[in-house]
Amino acid sequence: MDNNSYNIIMALASNLEAREAYKKYAKDGNSQLWQQLSQQAEQAIQLLQQQLPQVIQGSQGQSQSQGQGYASQSSYGSGTSMGGGSNTQR
């Protein structure tokens, strides 16, 4: 997983946790403040949820192209006297 995907997932998790905490805090008083913060967290959650599929899809495309590059390199090396065939199994 690339850094960008990880960051979005962690930000999403943090905002989900914050939203739940704000709902609990609202029961103890100053509910207007906690409701406002909960709404802001909800907006962040929605934005992150929209970005997540795109980021993951982009991340998979990068890892596949990197993997294909590795496969083509190892295939090239498999005919050498170094016995590169063992490198192709990962």
Side-chain angles (χ1 to χ4, degrees):
M1 177 180 300
D2 67 11
N3 286 340
N4 194 31
S5 299
Y6 176 82
N7 292 342
I8 289 184
I9 290 169
M10 294 309 297
L12 180 58
S14 295
N15 277 284
L16 288 167
E17 290 175 0
R19 182 184 63 182
E20 292 305 310
Y22 298 153
K23 287 179 182 179
K24 290 179 185 177
Y25 300 159
K27 294 176 184 176
D28 293 337
N30 202 0
S31 64
Q32 185 177 3
L33 169 67
W34 301 115
Q35 286 177 345
Q36 184 177 359
L37 290 171
S38 181
Q39 289 172 353
Q40 290 174 357
E42 184 64 37
Q43 290 174 345
I45 289 165
Q46 289 175 3
L47 180 60
L48 290 163
Q49 285 176 331
Q50 290 172 359
Q51 292 296 309
L52 189 58
Q54 297 168 9
V55 172
I56 290 175
Q57 197 171 42
S59 171
Q60 289 174 348
Q62 288 176 355
S63 66
Q64 287 176 357
S65 66
Q66 289 173 352
Q68 289 172 353
Y70 176 79
S72 64
Q73 289 175 357
S74 62
S75 296
Y76 173 69
S78 65
T80 64
S81 61
M82 300 294 280
S86 62
N87 291 340
T88 58
Q89 296 177 350
R90 281 195 165 213

